[in-house]
Amino acid sequence: WSSGCSDNCELLAELHESVSISKLSNDASNISDRNEMLAGAVVCCYSYSIENNFDLNQIILEKVEYNKHRSDHKRENREKPFGKKY
């Protein structure tokens, strides 16, 4: 999962750049660019987790489980006038 970055600051800068470019590429003519940038962002996240000794897979699983039980993530609450939007 190495992206070639030498430290945390570089990894975070690369992550920010990948996400920003993917947002700019979010139209039908640039889908492959967007996908490549999003994949790069995921690689940065895994590189960061490895360099900082935490299990990103486990953190993601815990977050998904936590979100299953959040009232603001339930469809009926999101549809309310001031509900959290998708």
Side-chain angles (χ1 to χ4, degrees), residues 55-72:
D55 184 350
L56 186 57
N57 290 327
Q58 184 61 38
I59 291 168
I60 291 169
L61 291 173
E62 290 171 4
K63 176 65 172 162
V64 168
E65 187 61 30
Y66 171 76
N67 285 349
K68 286 181 186 178
H69 306 287
R70 290 179 56 175
S71 63
D72 63 333

Side-chain angles (χ1 to χ4, degrees), residues 40-55:
V42 171
V43 169
C44 284
C45 289
Y46 275 96
S47 295
Y48 184 84
S49 73
I50 290 166
E51 286 190 19
N52 292 281
N53 296 319
F54 61 85
D55 184 350

Side-chain angles (χ1 to χ4, degrees), residues 29-40:
S29 65
N30 293 315
I31 290 175
S32 64
D33 291 342
R34 182 202 62 202
N35 293 348
E36 183 178 335
M37 290 295 105
L38 288 175

